[in-house]
Amino acid sequence: MKKTGKVYLVGAGPGDPGLITVRGKSLLERAEVVVYDYLATTKLLKHVPADAELIYVGKKGGVKHTYTQEEINQMLVDHAQAGKVVVRLKGGDPFIFGRGGEELEELYAAGVAFEVVPGVTSATAAATYAGIPITHRDYTASVTFITGHEDPTKKSSNINWEKLATGAGTLVVYMGIKNLPTIVENLIKHGRDPKTPVAVVRWASTPEQRSVVGTLETITDVVKNADIKPPALIIVGEVVNLRDTIDWYEKRALFGKRIIVTRTREQASELVLGLEEYGANCLEYSTINIVPVESYDAFDEELERLKEYHWILFTSLNSVKYFFKRLYEKGMDARDLNGPDIAVVGKSTADLLLTYGLNADLIPSTFTGEGLAESLLDQGVEGRNIFIPRAKQAREILPETLRGAGAQVTVTPVYQNCPVEGDKATIRAEFTDHKVDMITFTSSSTVRNFLTLLDAENQEELQQLLQGVKIAAIGPITAKSVTDNGLEVHVQPDQFTITDMVDAVVDYYSCDSSK
Ligand code: SAH
């Protein structure tokens, strides 16, 4: 039997990728074709299977549409008739100024099955993220959503401004920036108090959010002076005043800060999540790729004689990860580690180790190779047999110090770092346009690879590109790599963990808001 396709019209929500519904996300996860708009945040596309077809159909107000509405309708019909699971992803809610109804009428006419998933519409999101409750018992009992796209002077307008001006409570105008002067003029002319507060919110619920406040009399100038462009919503009503107390989103410590996070591709983006929690706008650049070593012959030999070791040392998260990956591949497990004691370089490594069922026997008070060496020396290592599974390219200080103190040390690579070919033009543009506030480095290799990616001609150009940009380094070794390259470190946590790094960045910006 021929597989029958279906179109799911899904509301993507207003911009914050966390605001899609659970149902919408689960449909994206099994989509075969995704047809998405300008306002449907591309951050959601990460949920889509890698082999799905992604079709961007544009639709940016004022700019030439990438596809006509007829072409979009036909595209949906064609893919569904070809038996595909099609997700039609639209910004906000598909039925609120989203032409969702029109698309479904076409599908109905073509006999294509469909379902609809509502979304958080930008009006409620803009109000919420600007700290404005759109209804409030003390101020208003109604709220009205209006399109401002219509020319309010045209005779055949569907909008009855006369009734809206005095008969409705809070007003929220979509697509109204271009017509703002006529909209406010109409409201005042028909009896709304010129002193009524108005907020305009652009790119609501995204790190790019900007909001300005005025009154019906002043808002046109306020918007012009602040150079607020679409997409933006206009919120009119006394409730706007509540923003003074309720504003929460834009008040977060890192709101509006553009922070580059250099990381390895496989590493969990704990740092990004941590910084975003405080409102930072993070740009992730994968500067290194962690990959297995070409041959595990040497490592496998060590696995055979694990019991002979007194200590196994894990000096990075990846050493734990790749150690166990290979251990499992050889049909072994944590029980094979019941002989040696285990030392780790820091708390995160200890936490990861615990997920494999093992408690670290030793965590140094300073989370570096030197710190680990010192703690081991305190215990006495003479004559001890020590195994260090680690990166192919790593510093020799730890094994050398231990050998110097009379230990037998075996160092075997379990993974390696490879630089990633990045998009040099995009990353450079970030700096030449002076958009970046801070760069974070979590290891010396992220520093090296970031500089390779940026590819400055000489020290002078590097200084120029990074002028005014702050640098955060996770620990002293990483910091040294930064300063060795002639750059300054502005933020460095006391403890070398991601959580401490996030806290240090927050502290840095909280002490002085002018930074
Ligand atoms: N279906 C969408 C609306 C589409 S109409 C929804 O439910 O939100 C397009 C208009 O929506 C834009 O011109 C702008 O007024 C508004 N809009 C959409 N997303 C927005 C956002 N993140 N911030 C501010 N306004 C937004």
Side-chain angles (χ1 to χ4, degrees), residues 58-217:
K59 280 214 185 170
K60 186 170 164 182
V63 174
K64 193 174 166 292
H65 291 177
T66 317
Y67 288 92
T68 64
Q69 188 62 49
E70 290 68 37
E71 284 167 337
I72 297 171
N73 296 343
Q74 193 55 48
M75 194 183 288
L76 297 175
V77 170
D78 290 347
H79 284 292
Q81 285 178 342
K84 300 280 182 186
V85 174
V86 184
V87 170
R88 171 71 176 115
L89 192 64
K90 279 184 163 287
D93 183 283
F95 282 177
I96 299 184
F97 306 125
R99 303 187 74 165
E102 291 166 52
E103 290 181 13
L104 296 188
E105 282 170 323
E106 288 295 324
L107 295 178
Y108 176 81
V112 169
F114 56 79
E115 286 187 25
V116 191
V117 183
V120 173
T121 190
S122 54
T124 55
T128 306
Y129 281 61
I132 302 167
I134 38 179
T135 73
H136 188 292
R137 282 210 306 179
D138 297 340
Y139 300 96
T140 177
S142 69
V143 55
T144 308
F145 293 168
I146 308 162
T147 167
H149 191 53
E150 265 198 8
D151 179 354
T153 55
K154 84 171 186 209
K155 286 257 160 33
S156 60
S157 173
N158 285 324
I159 302 169
N160 189 334
W161 290 101
E162 193 176 345
K163 291 207 165 125
L164 282 175
T166 51
T170 309
L171 304 174
V172 187
V173 188
Y174 290 70
M175 299 172 277
I177 294 302
K178 204 167 127 252
N179 288 329
L180 182 64
T182 346
I183 292 167
V184 293
E185 193 188 300
N186 265 288
L187 290 172
I188 296 173
K189 188 170 82 192
H190 291 112
R192 193 85 173 211
D193 181 351
K195 299 273 179 283
T196 309
V198 183
V200 172
V201 189
R202 177 169 200 251
W203 278 128
S205 83
T206 75
E208 241 89 17
Q209 175 172 317
R210 271 193 78 201
S211 44
V212 291
V213 176
T215 62
L216 279 180
E217 270 174 334

Side-chain angles (χ1 to χ4, degrees), residues 171-484:
L171 304 174
V172 187
V173 188
Y174 290 70
M175 299 172 277
I177 294 302
K178 204 167 127 252
N179 288 329
L180 182 64
T182 346
I183 292 167
V184 293
E185 193 188 300
N186 265 288
L187 290 172
I188 296 173
K189 188 170 82 192
H190 291 112
R192 193 85 173 211
D193 181 351
K195 299 273 179 283
T196 309
V198 183
V200 172
V201 189
R202 177 169 200 251
W203 278 128
S205 83
T206 75
E208 241 89 17
Q209 175 172 317
R210 271 193 78 201
S211 44
V212 291
V213 176
T215 62
L216 279 180
E217 270 174 334
T218 64
I219 196 69
T220 303
D221 284 341
V222 170
V223 164
K224 206 166 133 210
N225 293 338
D227 197 24
I228 301 273
K229 302 213 160 65
L233 285 152
I234 307 159
I235 305 174
V236 181
E238 302 305 322
V239 283
V240 168
N241 286 336
L242 291 163
R243 175 178 158 78
D244 293 342
T245 34
I246 296 177
D247 182 24
W248 57 275
Y249 185 71
E250 293 175 29
K251 281 196 182 141
R252 292 172 309 159
L254 300 180
F255 180 77
K257 297 282 180 247
R258 203 164 170 95
I259 302 183
I260 293 206
V261 176
T262 50
R263 60 174 202 117
T264 60
R265 189 167 283 161
E266 279 80 15
Q267 211 174 40
S269 41
E270 200 189 332
L271 180 56
V272 171
L273 290 177
L275 294 171
E276 281 180 350
E277 204 49 38
Y278 289 96
N281 185 3
C282 290
L283 304 176
E284 280 183 83
Y285 283 95
S286 302
T287 57
I288 44 181
N289 230 348
I290 303 293
V291 294
V293 285
E294 289 89 12
S295 161
Y296 278 95
D297 292 349
F299 181 73
D300 291 349
E301 272 177 36
E302 300 311 317
L303 285 185
E304 292 300 317
R305 54 185 208 102
L306 284 178
K307 290 209 166 41
E308 295 170 23
Y309 284 106
H310 298 105
W311 283 102
I312 299 182
L313 315 186
F314 290 108
T315 52
S316 69
L317 294 172
N318 284 311
S319 63
V320 174
K321 205 170 121 190
Y322 280 85
F323 179 96
F324 282 94
K325 186 168 176 289
R326 188 62 187 169
L327 187 79
Y328 295 161
E329 278 167 11
K330 299 298 283 180
M332 301 164 79
D333 60 29
R335 289 171 299 180
D336 292 290
L337 287 159
N338 66 357
D341 281 341
I342 300 181
V344 294
V345 71
K347 184 157 181 324
S348 321
T349 318
D351 291 344
L352 180 66
L353 188 67
L354 199 57
T355 65
Y356 292 91
L358 295 170
N359 238 324
D361 299 290
L362 183 130
I363 309 174
S365 46
T366 312
F367 300 166
T368 59
E370 287 85 341
L372 179 55
E374 211 170 286
S375 300
L376 283 162
L377 292 193
D378 285 349
Q379 308 232 343
V381 292
E382 198 174 345
R384 304 264 101 185
N385 219 349
I386 301 178
F387 181 31
I388 313 180
R390 61 169 200 184
K392 199 167 167 186
Q393 320 82 339
R395 297 185 313 134
E396 291 308 323
I397 186 88
L398 176 63
E400 273 169 15
T401 314
L402 297 174
R403 281 187 194 120
Q408 283 278 351
V409 184
T410 307
V411 176
T412 313
V414 271
Y415 69 93
Q416 55 186 330
N417 298 320
C418 296
V420 173
E421 269 305 297
D423 184 352
K424 182 175 148 189
T426 333
I427 193 159
R428 273 190 158 236
E430 286 290 330
F431 290 97
T432 41
D433 298 350
H434 300 291
K435 287 195 197 151
V436 178
D437 293 291
M438 181 177 272
I439 315 174
T440 58
F441 293 117
T442 48
S443 69
S444 295
S445 30
T446 59
V447 179
R448 267 195 310 275
N449 293 320
F450 172 78
L451 292 174
T452 314
L453 195 60
L454 194 63
D455 196 22
E457 292 239 321
N458 47 38
Q459 189 61 23
E460 203 184 341
E461 198 201 14
L462 179 66
Q463 297 289 349
Q464 227 168 36
L465 284 169
L466 299 196
Q467 201 182 14
V469 177
K470 308 292 184 235
I471 294 180
I474 196 160
I477 311 292
T478 312
K480 183 161 183 306
S481 305
V482 173
T483 48
D484 283 352

